[in-house]
């Protein structure tokens, strides 16, 4: 069997969900030379890809019938479920032998369900959520955490390599999603600390940008501190990752943690703060908008 890298011109990829991150991810695949089919609920969000050579499909079912590999990057678990298992979804219409990769942050239980239903149809399913936000997506430097069969992972790895640099196989179906929950739990409490630190610097009469030079590379260093704190200080609260989606992720993590009988005090606090932000009209802002709440700008 030829490798996926050798089959670039012959492997048709279907991409469902061309929003903030999906658009960049799909764009890298197109630039690599993969024939690309695209579908998004709002066609306007796919126009840039269509102009670059992607082929628009009017329905998920039509895309599924033609693609050899199908990647999804949609919003919520209910969207994932409908996209894969609905009457006009992927699994009822994809060809046997198709590889399907859900890169949405979704429920580990749903990932297992999709895997099991796909296996009945001789379709290979992977759950492969990502981390790195819009910056990582644009730069093709996403962290990709993958669950499913190891053989399917190895087959798809050349495709993952077009979108990310830290690509790790985590185990059986659902493992990718569980790993992403670990990621989101770490970010949730960390974001509170980043925001508090930046507001503290300002209230203490310091130059917050200068403070960042001292603390970003030390023990306090984090992706959020290096990438999102500068946005906070510039008043840039545009979404690299939507607050509404982060709330969704934290809800999934809380539910999974409760099932395991685990305490998550930091996660609970972070979700309560982000819930408050959403109630104040910030659901479509980026996660760095927590700074506004800590600084009492709302």
């Amino acid at each position: 069997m030829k490798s996926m890298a050798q089959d670039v011109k012959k492997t048709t990829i279907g991409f469902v969900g061309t929003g903030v991150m999906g658009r960049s991810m799909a764009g890298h695949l197109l630039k690599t030379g993969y024939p690309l089919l695209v579908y998004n609920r709002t066609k306007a969000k796919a126009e840039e890809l269509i102009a670059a050579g992607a082929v628009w499909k009017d329905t998920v079912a039509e895309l599924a019938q033609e693609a050899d590999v199908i990647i999804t990057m949609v919003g919520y678990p209910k969207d994932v479920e409908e996209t894969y298992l609905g009457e006009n979804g992927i699994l009822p219409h994809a060809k046997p032998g198709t590889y399907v990769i859900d890169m949405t942050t979704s429920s580990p239980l749903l990932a297992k369900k999709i895997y099991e239903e796909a296996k009945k149809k001789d379709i290979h399913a992977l759950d492969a959520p990502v981390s790195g936000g819009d910056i990582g997506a644009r730069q093709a430097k996403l962290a990709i955490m993958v669950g499913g069969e190891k053989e399917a992972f190895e087959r798809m790895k050349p495709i993952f390599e077009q979108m990310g640099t830290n690509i790790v196989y985590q185990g059986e179906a659902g493992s990718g999603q569980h790993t992403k929950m670990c990621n989101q739990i770490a970010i949730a409490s960390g974001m509170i600390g980043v925001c508090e630190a930046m507001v503290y610097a300002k209230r203490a009469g310091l130059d917050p940008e200068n403070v960042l030079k001292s603390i970003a590379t030390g023990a306090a260093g984090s992706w959020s501190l290096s990438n999102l704190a500068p946005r906070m200080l510039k008043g840039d609260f545009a979404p690299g990752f939507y607050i509404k989606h982060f709330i969704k992720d934290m809800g999934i993590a809380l539910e999974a943690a409760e099932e395991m009988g685990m305490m998550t005090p930091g996660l609970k606090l972070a979700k309560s703060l982000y819930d408050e932000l959403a109630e104040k009209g910030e659901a479509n802002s980026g996660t760095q908008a927590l700074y506004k709440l800590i600084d009492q700008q709302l």
Side-chain angles (χ1 to χ4, degrees), residues 5-294:
Q6 293 172 309
D7 289 347
V8 167
K9 300 297 183 185
K10 297 179 181 178
T11 302
T12 297
I13 298 178
F15 207 107
V16 178
T18 55
V20 171
M21 294 183 63
R23 181 166 57 248
S24 295
M25 294 160 69
H28 295 309
L29 298 173
L30 192 60
K31 288 174 187 173
T32 301
Y34 287 104
L36 187 72
L37 313 177
V38 293
Y39 172 82
N40 194 72
R41 284 184 298 189
T42 306
K43 187 177 180 181
K45 293 183 178 179
E47 293 292 354
E48 184 181 319
L49 291 166
I50 295 167
V55 177
W56 171 259
K57 291 298 171 183
D58 289 321
T59 65
V60 171
E62 186 181 349
L63 178 147
Q65 288 165 357
E66 298 183 32
D68 303 305
V69 175
I70 303 167
I71 297 172
T72 53
M73 190 68 170
V74 296
Y76 298 86
K78 60 181 174 58
D79 300 316
V80 173
E81 187 163 17
E82 179 64 23
T83 299
Y84 278 89
L85 304 175
E87 184 179 346
N88 297 309
I90 292 169
L91 295 187
H93 296 278
K95 302 168 290 189
T98 298
Y99 288 79
V100 298
I101 308 168
D102 183 32
M103 303 188 80
T104 316
T105 298
S106 183
S107 158
L109 287 176
L110 179 56
K112 291 180 182 179
K113 182 178 179 180
I114 289 170
Y115 168 81
E116 289 164 1
E117 292 302 313
K119 196 173 180 79
K120 293 175 186 176
K121 298 173 179 289
D122 193 26
I123 294 170
H124 312 284
L126 295 170
D127 51 287
V130 303
S131 181
D134 60 331
I135 297 170
R138 286 199 305 270
Q139 297 178 349
K141 292 182 178 179
L142 291 169
I144 306 175
M145 40 212 92
V146 189
E149 292 181 356
K150 184 72 179 289
E151 185 178 347
F153 165 74
E154 294 294 348
R155 181 82 171 131
M156 292 295 103
K157 195 171 182 183
I159 288 177
F160 290 135
E161 287 171 345
Q162 306 312 312
M163 299 178 283
T165 52
N166 179 13
I167 302 155
V168 181
Y169 175 71
Q170 294 292 342
E172 64 181 18
S175 297
Q177 297 295 353
H178 275 306
T179 303
K180 182 60 186 287
M181 291 304 105
C182 296
N183 185 86
Q184 301 305 73
I185 290 168
I187 288 173
S189 296
M191 279 294 290
I192 297 174
V194 169
C195 293
E196 288 180 345
M198 292 300 94
V199 172
Y200 182 97
K202 185 174 77 168
R203 299 283 177 89
L206 303 172
D207 177 348
E209 292 186 5
N210 219 30
V211 171
L212 269 179
K213 292 177 184 177
S214 289
I215 70 174
T217 59
S222 69
W223 189 95
S224 295
L225 193 66
S226 297
N227 291 280
L228 296 182
R231 291 194 190 186
M232 296 171 192
L233 301 180
K234 291 174 184 174
D236 176 6
F237 302 110
F241 187 60
Y242 287 109
I243 282 174
K244 62 185 179 183
H245 290 160
F246 195 32
I247 289 171
K248 173 261 296 183
D249 294 354
M250 288 187 283
I252 294 170
L254 281 168
E255 185 177 342
E258 285 169 9
E259 288 173 0
M260 292 185 279
M262 178 186 163
M263 286 179 58
T264 52
L267 181 59
K268 286 180 179 177
L269 174 59
K271 186 174 182 298
S272 71
L273 294 173
Y274 276 105
D275 283 338
E276 185 176 346
L277 267 175
E279 289 167 6
K280 292 178 181 292
E282 298 286 341
N284 289 313
S285 296
T287 53
Q288 70 274 19
L290 181 62
Y291 175 88
K292 295 165 77 174
L293 187 66
I294 302 296

